[in-house]
Amino acid sequence: MAAASRVLHEQGVEKTTLADIARVAEVPLGNVYYYFKTKDQLVEAAIDAHALNFHAMTASLDLHTAAPRDRLKALLRGWVEQRELTARYGCPTGTLCSELDKRTDGLDRVAAEVMRLLIDYAERQFRSMGRSDSHELAIALVAAYQGISLLTNTFRDPELMTGECRRLERWVDSLA
């Protein structure tokens, strides 16, 4: 699944073949076909892997970071750590959502649920900070991240992500 997620992020769904994934995973193509009869099944499994990774990351933040404001800032720092990858390929979830939205097979809605996880997590943190406008703040945070991910990728400039996340950290601090 890690290989599938990586290749789909780097090449996009339409350009990726099961053979590409087998090559990166260093397994025979027959093994990939054994578990996934179609590329769409593999894409759905990769989306599920994104969700599992998100749950693991947020569980770690919840376990190791007491204050919701600090959890949000840790999330921002994680995005900054991924800035080189974002500059090259965009946000893994955002680019997948954007690409799948052009299809009519329902995978767009499955991918949207991963984005919903991020919004819901941010909303819980803002609510824990005592904010009655937690939903709007969560949308603003995710929109800022997706926007800067697009610009970071478009201009191949990882420092755009760094600067915007610094601004977002100050914004989060101002809301506490």
Side-chain angles (χ1 to χ4, degrees), residues 2 43 52 71-72 114 151 163 170-171:
V43 169
L52 288 172
R71 287 185 202 125
L72 290 170
V114 179
L151 292 174
R170 291 188 305 272
W171 175 68

Side-chain angles (χ1 to χ4, degrees), residues 7 12 35-36 47 49 55 61 64 83 91 93 109 139 146 155 159 165 173-175:
V7 174
Y35 291 102
F36 305 101
I47 294 167
H55 285 301
L61 287 176
H64 300 295
R83 68 189 178 275
C91 166
T93 304
R109 302 309 340 139
I139 294 292
Q146 286 303 314
F155 295 115
E159 293 315 306
C165 285
D173 282 338
S174 76
L175 298 171

Side-chain angles (χ1 to χ4, degrees), residues 106-127:
L107 285 174
D108 59 330
R109 302 309 340 139
V110 177
E113 287 306 310
V114 179
M115 191 68 74
R116 169 71 53 205
L117 292 173
L118 175 56
I119 292 168
D120 290 347
Y121 182 79
E123 183 175 353
R124 285 192 306 276
Q125 303 317 306
F126 285 121
R127 191 177 319 111

